[in-house]
Amino acid sequence: MITKEATEVAPAPLRAAPAPPRPAKSHRAWDEVPRWQIYLPLGVYLVFTLIPFYWILLFALRPAGSTSLVPWPMTFEHFEKVWTERSFGTYFGNSLLVGLATLVMTTVVALAGGYALARFDFRIKRGFMLALLCSQFVPGALLLVPLFEIFAELQMINSLGSVIIAETVFQLPLSMILISNFIKNVPYSLEEAAWVDGCDRFRAFRVIVLPLLRPGLIAVGSFAFVHSWNHFLFALMFLNNQDKQTIPVGLNTLMSADSVDLGALAAGGIIAAVPVVIVFAFIQKWLITGFSAGAVKG
């Protein structure tokens, strides 16, 4: 005998609803550019960029009087000549001292000023920011006469301190703007939480904010170092003795009205470029992060 329960049909198992179709990816005209149209301009640009560097290496490494397009036999006589006979060892030490001192002074002062601009509101804040921006349009040559008069009164002419102060003053406006914008990206609530936990403002800044500013500080410091390393005008005007000169002025002494020692000049140029290349090779990641973060929010 078939019961009523047996005649009941078991419910069909539930099936998952079919997934909605994915929208077709829109193809834009520039997404399908042939690769050769990308690599060819990049290759041409790379060739025009590398040829001057190869030419410098060629003159620096081949013997004097040689016209070969390959630096063989290779010689380092030009490097030995500029390092010892042309006092490039002294120039290198002076430039290194000026660059490191400018880096430290610019970073410290810009950090204090940038924090004030980012965290405090005062009456002349907008006018001060406008003055910082307008100072970027003033060429360094216009500052030579007033700076020379000031350093002459302070008896700092022919002193590396005058170049360091001048380079720091020249770098401060942009550095302060960058650091202030970078500090604005750090949430203010982090400092408030530190204050609640018993920290004063300086300790909260040192423990909470300062570690987060590493990319910005590296960007500002490296920019100040490279600019002071390559700057020619202040060292030429404020330094008279040869033992006080920096590398850009030393390169200028290798050129005269009658002749130019191309081998020595190329060797000196490589010596001047090596520290800058090393700096950018090690800090490029933090440099790009620092400049992009400092330029987003203002």
Side-chain angles (χ1 to χ4, degrees):
M1 182 176 182
I2 301 174
T3 60
K4 182 178 180 181
E5 290 78 2
T7 58
E8 293 181 354
V9 180
L14 297 178
R15 296 181 179 179
R22 295 181 178 179
K25 185 179 179 181
S26 60
H27 294 280
R28 296 170 295 185
W30 52 83
D31 290 336
E32 300 178 355
V33 176
R35 290 189 175 183
W36 68 269
Q37 295 186 11
I38 299 175
Y39 294 144
L40 181 60
L42 291 178
V44 173
Y45 174 77
L46 185 63
V47 169
F48 276 95
T49 303
L50 294 181
I51 284 179
F53 289 98
Y54 177 76
W55 207 250
I56 293 176
L57 287 173
L58 180 64
F59 277 98
L61 296 177
R62 74 183 183 183
S66 175
T67 58
S68 174
L69 296 179
V70 179
W72 191 263
M74 190 178 299
T75 179
F76 294 95
E77 61 179 0
H78 300 301
F79 291 94
E80 183 180 359
K81 178 180 179 180
V82 298
W83 191 262
T84 57
E85 298 180 13
R86 298 288 187 167
S87 303
F88 258 68
T90 303
Y91 300 154
F92 189 92
N94 293 337
S95 293
L96 189 63
L97 177 60
V98 171
L100 292 177
T102 303
L103 184 154
V104 173
M105 292 179 61
T106 301
T107 304
V108 172
V109 178
L111 184 61
Y115 184 84
L117 292 175
R119 292 294 192 242
F120 296 101
D121 290 325
F122 46 92
R123 185 171 299 177
I124 61 171
K125 181 177 180 179
R126 288 189 177 182
F128 186 74
M129 289 292 294
L130 181 61
L132 290 179
L133 292 173
C134 292
S135 66
Q136 299 303 298
F137 300 101
V138 179
L142 293 180
L143 301 177
L144 288 178
V145 174
L147 286 177
F148 190 89
E149 292 291 336
I150 294 173
F151 293 143
E153 291 292 333
L154 297 175
Q155 298 182 357
M156 295 183 65
I157 298 297
N158 200 32
S159 170
L160 291 178
S162 60
V163 179
I164 294 172
I165 294 175
E167 294 289 351
T168 302
V169 171
F170 195 75
Q171 295 296 318
L172 268 180
L174 179 60
S175 301
M176 196 176 299
I177 292 172
L178 288 175
I179 289 185
S180 66
N181 290 335
F182 196 86
I183 293 176
K184 290 178 182 178
N185 292 328
V186 179
Y188 191 60
S189 57
L190 295 178
E191 290 185 78
E192 293 177 337
W195 298 342
V196 173
D197 292 338
C199 295
D200 56 10
R201 182 178 290 274
F202 179 77
R203 185 179 180 186
F205 171 77
R206 179 174 57 84
V207 176
I208 303 298
V209 180
L210 191 59
L212 300 176
L213 299 180
R214 182 184 302 174
L217 295 178
I218 293 176
V220 169
S222 60
F223 187 78
F225 175 82
V226 171
H227 186 275
S228 61
W229 178 274
N230 294 325
H231 205 189
F232 170 78
L233 196 57
F234 290 154
L236 178 66
M237 296 301 298
F238 301 148
L239 302 176
N240 298 325
N241 293 346
Q242 185 177 358
D243 58 348
K244 298 289 186 179
Q245 299 290 356
T246 57
I247 277 187
V249 182
L251 288 174
N252 186 60
T253 60
L254 298 177
M255 297 181 293
S256 63
D258 300 329
S259 62
V260 178
D261 190 346
L262 294 179
L265 186 61
I270 293 176
I271 294 174
V274 165
V276 178
V277 173
I278 293 176
V279 168
F280 277 104
F282 281 99
I283 67 170
Q284 59 178 346
K285 178 178 68 175
W286 294 281
L287 187 66
I288 296 173
T289 304
F291 275 120
S292 60
V296 169
K297 186 175 180 181

